[in-house]
Amino acid sequence: MLENTDLGKLIVRLTLGGLLLFHGIAKLFNGIGFIEAQLASHNLPAILAYGVYIGEVVAPLMVILGYQTRIGALIIVFNMLVAIVLVHSHQLLSLAGNGGWALELQGFFLFTALAVVFMGPGKYKLKN
């Protein structure tokens, strides 16, 4: 039987970090006005919106590279929890039009990052 858990961990890291990084890059190009508005609607300072760059650019790069992977993944977990509370809490028990969970993407990022926190980076990583 073919078994290579380190390769599996690399695939999970690249998938989590790569897919979330696209969201961060979109925010770099298009701004974070939506997030600032969401924070303001919850009576939170709009300046906190800049934290999304840490959660969707810096942390995914940490996970992809395997540098301080568990810390990067924990930042992603926090980022996703904040996103769910601020924007998606009304959808927690909702189904999407196609029959899937309305929060499958957010759930994927949250629970995959949590798995990486517990698994660690594996051997295919930057030395740290």
Side-chain angles (χ1 to χ4, degrees):
M1 184 82 168
L2 180 65
E3 182 176 326
N4 186 339
T5 57
D6 290 309
L7 182 58
K9 290 175 184 181
L10 175 64
I11 292 167
V12 170
R13 284 186 10 240
L14 293 177
T15 303
L16 169 64
L19 293 176
L20 187 55
L21 185 59
F22 284 121
H23 291 264
I25 291 169
K27 287 176 180 72
L28 285 172
F29 286 112
N30 301 315
I32 54 173
F34 173 77
I35 297 164
E36 291 172 325
Q38 289 296 317
L39 288 164
S41 75
H42 288 82
N43 297 316
L44 295 168
I47 191 81
L48 295 176
Y50 289 93
V52 77
Y53 294 125
I54 296 169
E56 293 186 13
V57 177
V58 176
L61 288 172
M62 292 169 70
V63 169
I64 289 167
L65 296 173
Y67 177 75
Q68 299 294 322
T69 306
R70 285 188 162 109
I71 294 170
L74 196 57
I75 292 168
I76 293 170
V77 168
F78 178 76
N79 186 69
M80 293 315 305
L81 289 172
V82 170
I84 289 168
V85 168
L86 288 181
V87 181
H88 302 287
S89 58
H90 66 282
Q91 297 173 297
L92 273 174
L93 301 176
S94 299
L95 295 178
N98 62 0
W101 183 33
L103 298 183
E104 2 184 89
L105 182 62
Q106 294 82 4
F108 166 80
F109 289 140
L110 172 64
F111 295 115
T112 304
L114 191 59
V116 171
V117 169
F118 288 109
M119 290 189 312
K123 71 179 182 180
Y124 304 118
K125 62 179 180 155
L126 289 181
K127 301 287 184 210
N128 50 341

